[in-house]
Amino acid sequence: MKNSALSEYVKTALLTAIIFLLTFVPNIGYIPINPVINVTIIHVPVIIGSIVLGSRKGAFLGFAFGLSSFIKNTFFSTSAMSFVFNPLFHISTGYYLGALYALVICFVPRILVGVVPYCVYGALKKKITEVGALLTAGVAGSMTNTILVMGLIGILFKNEYTQMLGEKAANGVFAFIGATILTNGIAEAAVAAILSATVAKALLIMKKRA
């Protein structure tokens, strides 16, 4: 029992380290495709942890993902999107409500990424094939991140985001967000599903044999 608990803590620590590695090594976790949008794969370790280690450790990994976003965008990033994850930016300009909004976007979607895959996998693993359940959990985790982050940006920072987009928001900020979810979001979900299912399946097999 003690060895099993220790193994879970080691896996949690390793996945946390991978999250920060993906965050701070350029063009690995955040792959820029234009000045506004990054394709993100940092949520993959969170999804894996959620499926293999459970929702509590998954939520912790999601918090680590949010913390890495906060640190990167507050102290290191020059991306045009940094302001939606950077509470100090708003504090420095007196926009205190914006500071709270930035913290919400940093942490709430990412923590839920650590919970949703566990729930989806648990609900489906006895109803469909295990591979199908793993792939669906990966898609659900990835889309949770994309839909909530982009949706909250549109709701909480609509004016600022519209101004930043300029002509790209000619058809409306939510039209742009919808297009982003359908393009980047689906691509991220496909990658996340394949990577998460592959790694999680291997770890689950090891867990059963331990």
Side-chain angles (χ1 to χ4, degrees):
M1 192 71 168
K2 291 182 179 179
N3 289 337
S4 176
L6 178 61
S7 175
E8 289 196 357
Y9 282 116
V10 170
K11 289 172 184 173
T12 303
L14 287 172
L15 289 170
T16 302
I18 291 170
I19 288 168
F20 279 87
L21 181 68
L22 290 173
T23 300
F24 292 103
V25 175
N27 300 336
I28 296 181
Y30 291 100
I31 304 171
I33 62 171
N34 62 48
V36 175
I37 298 297
N38 293 317
V39 171
T40 305
I41 60 169
I42 304 176
H43 54 304
V44 170
V46 182
I47 295 169
I48 294 169
S50 177
I51 295 169
V52 176
L53 302 172
S55 58
R56 293 179 66 178
K57 290 184 175 65
F60 171 80
L61 291 168
F63 175 83
F65 179 16
L67 182 62
S68 72
S69 296
F70 164 75
I71 294 171
K72 180 180 178 67
N73 288 283
T74 300
F75 301 108
F76 301 105
S77 180
T78 58
S79 168
M81 284 289 289
S82 291
F83 75 95
V84 300
F85 303 103
N86 179 358
L88 298 186
F89 174 87
H90 304 289
I91 291 173
S92 67
T93 59
Y95 187 15
Y96 293 101
L97 191 58
L100 176 61
Y101 290 165
L103 288 174
V104 169
I105 294 173
C106 264
F107 290 101
V108 173
R110 276 63 191 276
I111 290 172
L112 289 175
V113 171
V115 176
V116 170
Y118 169 80
C119 296
V120 172
Y121 175 68
L124 295 179
K125 65 181 179 180
K126 293 182 179 180
K127 297 179 180 180
I128 61 176
T129 65
E130 184 176 34
V131 171
L134 289 170
L135 289 171
T136 306
V139 170
S142 182
M143 293 306 291
T144 295
N145 182 62
T146 302
I147 291 172
L148 287 182
V149 168
M150 295 305 299
L152 286 171
I153 289 171
I155 294 169
L156 301 179
F157 290 111
K158 181 179 179 181
N159 294 333
E160 294 84 354
Y161 193 52
T162 301
Q163 183 178 1
M164 185 202 71
L165 291 174
E167 293 181 358
K168 293 179 181 178
N171 295 323
V173 66
F174 287 103
F176 182 85
I177 287 172
T180 300
I181 291 171
L182 289 174
T183 53
N184 293 45
I186 291 175
E188 287 179 1
V191 172
I194 294 169
L195 292 177
S196 301
T198 302
V199 177
K201 185 170 177 60
L203 291 175
L204 287 170
I205 291 172
M206 292 172 60
K207 188 176 181 179
K208 290 176 182 178
R209 292 177 178 175

